[in-house]
Every structure is written in structure tokens, then in C-alpha cells.
Amino acid sequence: MQINRHLVALAIAGLFGTTGCTLSKMIKMAKDQELTVKPSPLELHGDSVKWELSAKLPLKMLKKNKMYSVASTYKYSDQKVALPELVLKQVDYPKANVEQPLASRKYGFLYTGETMSPGDLVITGIAANMNNVQKKTPEMTIARGIITTSRLVQDVYSPIYAPHGYNNSEELAPTNVNFFFEQGSSKLRVTETKGGRGSFLTKFISRKNPTKTVVITGYHSPEGKEVRNVKLSEERAKAIEKFYKESMKQYKYAKKADSIQFVTRSVVENWKVFKDSLAVYPGLSQEQKDEVKNLIDNSTDNFVVTEEKLSKLACYPEIFTGLYPKLRTANTEILDIMPKKSDATISLLAKGITEGREQPTALNDRELGYAATMTPLLNEREAIYRAATKKNDSWETHNNLGAVLLEQAKKLSGKDRKDMADKAIIQLEIAKNKEPNATVSANLATAYLMKGDLANAAVAVANGTQLQPNEAARRTLNTVGGILLIKQGKYTGAVNNLSAGVEDAVVSFDRGLAYLLNRDFDKAVTNFEESVTANPNYAPSYYGLAIAAARRKQDKPFIDNLKKAIAIDDNLRARALGDMEFYEYFGSEAFRNAIK
């Protein structure tokens, strides 16, 4: 059958004419569509800008075999990011004549830098049939962008030094000598004063060591004669004190006796020393020892009666002849002042070692480590720690060298900071290879944070957390971990970490920022105020308070805190001018005055 092409052409033209009229009506009705963007303005969290677009169309707008799309584009500078369309097809909304069609879609794009803000999220409505014949609405701005408050997070660098182990305060070194007495006697026998113990003590006194205290404790054995002489222990202690002072006179040490504190003590009717000696005495079996111990522990009688019961045991003769003589004693503990170099001498010797004028042996390892802590000059401290690594190739010395390099990196910026952090990492990796521990991991986390290497910083935090960190390491690991979580857009975790982090103004600010980004404005304000209390000249805290006030539409606190922030740090003026947090205030006179 031959087809009349003219009639077909007319039919097609009629169809398009009908379609075009229908699409035009849809576009006309689109002016009443309800478009919602959440959040608006757009916000940066982590490395991405994400939002949700909802479209609610008027009743009867969607026609049979038609669809309506919302095409979104983010425009900034001279660039744009095209985004997928939100499509509403009539076939999906069979009740479109009595129920408004509603659709939503989540969107996002990677944030590539500051040039992306400010920008505009624009949309175009597109009505189309199944053959893709289209009619479009004019392009319109539906949201502004981008709020970059998450980028206000402040890095915190808290290098940790391993302890040097040196104590520069006065220390006492104990020397102990025991003298023994005959049963029931407090007389110091010649065999004791002239024998090994007496000779040791007199030689010790002859050296005239600086002595702080002499503590003499007299004891007695439990047998019957002695328990009735409660003064025996005290008299034995006094006998040793007398011998000690006479020996001091012999060596012309007596004038210094007044500077020595003599303390005499007596242990009377006390079973502890006896039981301690019993436990290690080889002359009794364990069964016999248990029998003696049980009798003493379970006795409700006084010392004298208990000792009488003890004397009736079969093993008592061995106790009397073998154990009791060891208890008829007086213990002399001499506390000498340990000789130490002065701080000035240690500093001079350390400088000499670093300059090659002194041998490394001029100071021991602890003294050299202590010397590093006494200089405020980081280059001098670095030189001392380098000398320490050569003298003692331990994890502590390499960690401390890495820590002082991090201290120096804190004072630099840009490439110089990263280069110095790399030098620190070399030392810290050496320390880690010698002994993996949380202190080194915390310093590595700080170093990688300085470099902007967030992945390796996170690895270091995870490793350190597994290595039983001490208090300082734990706080640093939590601080770096919290900062990383803010940068990832994980604000609840960040708050938890930072709450157990380093205690200073910057950490309080970061914690407040995490609360702010999590829309907990009351706690955000509390933490920003804590930061201000810790450091009244810390500008970011006032800026944070200004943002919190702006979000809650509290005009006066917003303006007051913004003024304070700019007065402290003029760089915040330029940020405030384009900060989309303050978009609703851009046209106000108060805002213009605040940023003048």
C-alpha cells in the first residue's frame, strides 16, 4: 500500500505542535515548583561538598508520557561542575493530578581549592517527551557556596622528649651495716668494732662523705629474757650511735656531726622481722616454718605468751640457736649525699662536647640528656642530641633529636617546614626500628601532620595507640587523631579524641570547631570560650564565636566577636569578606563596620 507522505508530514507536525504546547505549559507551571537545597549555602566537609536537592512539582504539571528534569551546575570563577539531573517521569507518579510529585537526590563534588568559593549552584528545569523534545526554564541560582568553616581546623604540634633520667636535685645513697649482739646484751663487742663490720664503718667514716642522715634501728630476738627488757632494742641502737660518733672524732670529722641527723629507732615486740627471717632460714623444713607461722598468726595472746608457746615446739632449739642470733642486731643505714656536677658545669661540658673541646666521656648519658633541656636555643639542643646519638645510639637519643627538629619545624612554614619534618622523620624512624613505642609514634604522627601527609599520620596514630602510650603520648596521639577526624568530616569522633588531647587554647578551639560543625552550638561556644580563657589573644576562638552567633542569628555577639578576631589578626578581615557563613550579613551596615 502506498503511503501519502504529505499526510504523514502533516500528522507529525500536528503531533509536535501538540507536544510543544504541552511542554510549554509544563515550563510555565514550573515557576511554582518547590526546590530545596540542604544545606544552603553549600558546605565543605572532609574533602567534598555534599548536599541534597528536593523538587516538589505543582499538581497536574506532569503530563502523560512526559518527564521533568532539574539540571544542576555549580559555577565558580570561569569554571563549572555539571551534575546529574534529577528526573521526575509521569509514569512514576500516576497520581500526579491529586498528589504533588516529590523527588530528591544527593549530590557532591570534590573540593579543589579556595577558587571554588564563592560560587553559585544554578538549576535549569527541562520538560521533555519520550522523543527528547525539550523546553527549558531560564537558568536560576538556587544556592550559594561554599561554607569552608571546616578548613579553620588548626594543626597542633606537640613533640615529646623521652626522659633523660637525670635528677639534678639532692639524692641520697644508702649504705647499710649490721652489728650483732649477744643474748640479752646491748654491749658492742670488740669482735664487732674491730672485725669486718666495724672496719668497714670506720673506713667509710674516714672518707668524710657528705652525709645527711644516719638511721640506726635496734632489734631483739623474741626469746624470754629479751621480751622482758623492752629497752634492749633502743640501747643497742644507742650503742651504735656512740661508736659512730667516736669514730668521727678519731678522723676529725666531729665538727660536721652537727650537720648529720642521727635517728635511732627500736623495734620491740614485733614479729615481722622474725617472720621475714624465718621465711628464708634454711635450717627448718617448710612444714616446720608453716607450723611456726600459723602459731604466731593465729595467736590472740600477747608477745610474751606467744613466745612461750613457741618455745614448746619441737623445732624451737633450732630457732633458738640458728635463727635468734641473727635477730640480736642493730642496723645502721647511712644516707650520703651523692656528689653531682652543678648545672653550670654540665652546660659548659655539654657545649665543649658538641664543639669537640671535651671528650664525650666528660658527661654520662643522663647528664648529657639533661644538658639539652637546660638550653632554650633549639640549635644548641639539636647539637647536644646529635652528640648523644653518637655517644649512646638508643631509641631515646634518636627520638629526642627528632623531637627538637620538630620544634624547629614549628617555627618554619611551607617547604622549609616540610623539609625539617623530613629530617625529623629520619631520626624517628631510626628510633622506631630500635624500639617501637608510643612516644616515637606520637612524634611521627606530628611530623606527618606537618607535611600534610594525613594517611601516614593516621597510621602513626593507630600504631601508637596500640603501644601502651604514657600520658604525654596518649594526649598527643588523641590530639593528632582528633584533627585528622575533623579533616575527614567525622566530628563526633573528633570531639571524643580532642576531649582527651593536649590541654591548650588551640585544642579547645578545635574541639569547639568540631562541635560547631556537628551543629551543637552551645558546646561549641563553651569550648571557644575555654580557648579564649586559656589564651585571650587567640584570634580563631573569637572568629569561632562569631560564626556560632551568626548561625544562631545573634547579631550583637556576632559583630562583637568578629571585631575582636580582626583586631587580633588582620588576615581574618579578608576571610570574613567572603565567608559564606556571613552571607546573610553581607549587606548590613554593622557587618561593613565590623570589617573596616
Side-chain angles (χ1 to χ4, degrees):
M1 184 175 76
Q2 187 175 3
I3 298 175
N4 187 324
R5 294 181 180 178
H6 180 65
L7 292 176
V8 171
L10 287 174
I12 293 174
L15 176 63
F16 277 105
T18 303
T19 298
C21 182
T22 302
L23 296 179
S24 296
K25 288 180 181 179
M26 290 176 65
I27 292 300
K28 185 176 181 180
M29 294 181 73
K31 70 179 187 298
D32 294 322
Q33 65 187 329
E34 298 175 31
L35 299 177
T36 305
V37 175
K38 292 182 180 180
S40 180
L42 305 182
E43 298 178 6
L44 169 65
H45 297 285
D47 60 359
S48 303
V49 179
K50 297 178 181 179
W51 70 96
E52 185 174 15
L53 171 63
S54 298
K56 191 173 186 179
L57 305 184
L59 291 174
K60 301 180 181 180
M61 176 177 163
L62 275 182
K63 306 300 183 183
K64 186 177 181 179
N65 296 325
K66 304 296 186 291
M67 62 183 178
Y68 181 76
S69 304
V70 180
S72 303
T73 304
Y74 183 73
K75 293 185 175 182
Y76 63 98
S77 300
D78 59 348
Q79 300 184 59
K80 60 184 179 180
V81 179
L83 299 155
E85 295 179 0
L86 174 62
V87 180
L88 295 89
K89 296 180 180 179
Q90 185 274 335
V91 68
D92 296 327
Y93 298 91
K95 297 181 180 181
N97 289 338
V98 294
E99 293 179 3
Q100 288 182 267
L102 174 64
S104 62
R105 181 167 183 169
K106 293 182 178 180
Y107 291 88
F109 55 76
L110 286 176
Y111 182 78
T112 58
E114 294 179 358
T115 58
M116 297 193 81
S117 182
D120 294 305
L121 181 64
V122 300
I123 64 102
T124 301
I126 305 170
N129 62 17
M130 297 301 109
N131 295 318
N132 205 31
V133 175
Q134 298 180 347
K135 292 283 186 178
K136 296 183 179 181
T137 68
E139 186 177 84
M140 67 185 79
T141 299
I142 190 173
R144 301 296 306 277
I146 302 167
I147 289 175
T148 58
T149 300
S150 61
R151 290 296 170 98
L152 286 173
V153 60
Q154 304 293 302
D155 288 347
V156 178
Y157 309 127
S158 302
I160 307 173
Y161 293 92
H164 48 72
Y166 182 77
N167 182 0
N168 72 323
S169 60
E170 183 181 279
E171 286 187 279
L172 303 177
T175 299
N176 289 278
V177 185
N178 284 350
F179 289 90
F180 295 91
F181 296 83
E182 291 184 324
Q183 181 184 0
S185 173
S186 61
K187 181 180 179 181
L188 193 56
R189 295 169 293 171
V190 174
T191 54
E192 291 292 306
T193 58
K194 299 297 184 182
R197 286 180 283 274
S199 297
F200 175 84
L201 182 59
T202 53
K203 287 180 182 178
F204 182 88
I205 293 171
S206 71
R207 292 197 291 267
K208 299 182 180 180
N209 297 320
T211 302
K212 186 86 170 181
T213 307
V214 177
V215 180
I216 306 171
T217 305
Y219 300 91
H220 68 84
S221 55
E223 71 265 24
K225 290 183 180 179
E226 298 193 55
V227 297
R228 293 177 175 83
N229 186 358
V230 294
K231 292 185 177 181
L232 185 59
S233 296
E234 180 181 354
E235 290 170 352
R236 286 173 173 173
K238 292 293 185 183
I240 302 300
E241 180 184 8
K242 180 181 178 183
F243 172 66
Y244 195 108
K245 289 182 176 179
E246 288 176 349
S247 298
M248 290 179 69
K249 290 179 182 179
Q250 180 183 350
Y251 292 103
K252 298 180 181 180
Y253 194 6
K255 291 182 179 180
K256 294 187 178 181
D258 292 341
S259 65
I260 301 175
Q261 181 183 11
F262 281 85
V263 179
T264 57
R265 298 171 179 166
S266 58
V267 178
V268 180
E269 298 190 354
N270 187 313
W271 289 106
K272 182 179 185 308
V273 178
F274 172 80
K275 290 196 292 184
D276 289 345
S277 300
L278 176 69
V280 296
Y281 181 60
L284 296 175
S285 68
Q286 188 59 48
E287 184 179 358
Q288 290 171 318
K289 291 179 181 180
D290 290 342
E291 182 184 24
V292 173
K293 186 174 181 299
N294 288 336
L295 186 151
I296 294 171
D297 290 344
N298 296 320
S299 176
T300 58
D301 298 314
N302 61 31
F303 191 87
V304 175
V305 175
T306 301
E307 202 281 330
E308 288 177 352
K309 290 181 179 180
L310 183 64
S311 67
K312 296 176 182 178
L313 296 179
C315 61
Y316 183 76
E318 177 63 30
I319 293 174
F320 187 84
T321 58
L323 187 56
Y324 277 1
K326 299 178 185 296
L327 305 178
R328 301 167 187 144
T329 183
N331 170 259
T332 305
E333 182 182 61
I334 306 161
L335 299 177
D336 284 343
I337 300 171
M338 293 176 59
K340 292 185 180 182
K341 302 178 183 70
S342 68
D343 286 1
T345 298
I346 291 174
S347 292
L348 287 172
L349 290 173
K351 189 171 181 62
I353 291 171
T354 62
E355 294 175 353
R357 294 183 287 102
E358 296 284 352
Q359 292 297 317
T361 54
L363 293 174
N364 62 37
D365 295 341
R366 292 182 176 184
E367 290 169 334
L368 190 58
Y370 173 61
T373 67
M374 286 193 287
T375 174
L377 302 177
L378 295 180
N379 59 334
E380 287 187 0
R381 196 180 302 172
E382 178 191 347
I384 293 173
Y385 282 133
R386 287 196 183 278
T389 61
K390 296 173 183 176
K391 187 172 187 295
N392 176 10
D393 186 29
S394 65
W395 79 264
E396 290 94 341
T397 58
H398 287 284
N399 173 82
N400 291 349
L401 178 54
V404 74
L405 292 172
L406 291 178
E407 295 267 26
Q408 293 180 73
K410 287 169 62 175
K411 298 180 178 296
L412 304 173
S413 60
K415 184 176 182 299
D416 290 337
R417 171 178 284 181
K418 292 181 179 180
D419 289 346
M420 188 65 76
D422 278 331
K423 292 179 181 178
I425 288 171
I426 291 172
Q427 297 300 323
L428 295 169
E429 287 291 344
I430 294 173
K432 185 180 76 170
N433 289 335
K434 289 183 175 297
E435 183 177 323
N437 65 83
T439 295
V440 175
S441 292
N443 284 333
L444 280 169
T446 296
Y448 284 120
L449 183 64
M450 281 184 175
K451 285 171 55 66
D453 186 345
L454 305 188
N456 274 319
V459 170
V461 169
N463 289 342
T465 304
Q466 301 295 322
L467 293 171
Q468 298 180 326
N470 60 23
E471 179 72 5
R474 181 181 63 80
R475 288 189 176 277
T476 293
L477 291 166
N478 281 328
T479 298
V480 176
I483 291 167
L484 294 176
L485 289 170
I486 290 178
K487 294 184 177 187
Q488 295 166 10
K490 300 175 181 177
Y491 305 125
T492 299
V495 165
N496 293 336
N497 273 42
L498 293 170
S499 295
V502 175
E503 295 179 354
D504 72 3
V506 183
V507 175
S508 293
F509 167 79
D510 282 341
R511 190 167 55 244
L513 181 65
Y515 277 122
L516 177 71
L517 295 168
N518 217 25
R519 303 187 182 280
D520 190 338
F521 301 127
D522 288 339
K523 289 181 180 177
V525 168
T526 297
N527 281 271
F528 289 145
E529 288 176 344
E530 285 179 7
S531 179
V532 167
T533 300
N535 183 357
N537 292 314
Y538 190 60
S541 296
Y542 295 105
Y543 199 84
L545 287 167
I547 292 174
R551 289 200 179 190
R552 295 197 287 188
K553 304 188 185 305
Q554 298 172 338
D555 296 352
K556 188 176 187 307
F558 160 58
I559 294 299
D560 289 347
N561 284 294
L562 184 59
K563 285 181 178 178
K564 290 176 184 177
I566 293 173
I568 296 170
D569 183 358
D570 192 63
N571 292 323
L572 291 173
R573 187 190 315 277
R575 179 180 176 90
L577 275 169
D579 195 335
M580 294 303 295
E581 288 279 10
F582 310 142
Y583 176 65
E584 294 184 7
Y585 290 92
F586 281 173
S588 75
E589 183 179 356
F591 178 74
R592 290 194 297 272
N593 291 335
I595 60 176
K596 278 184 179 179

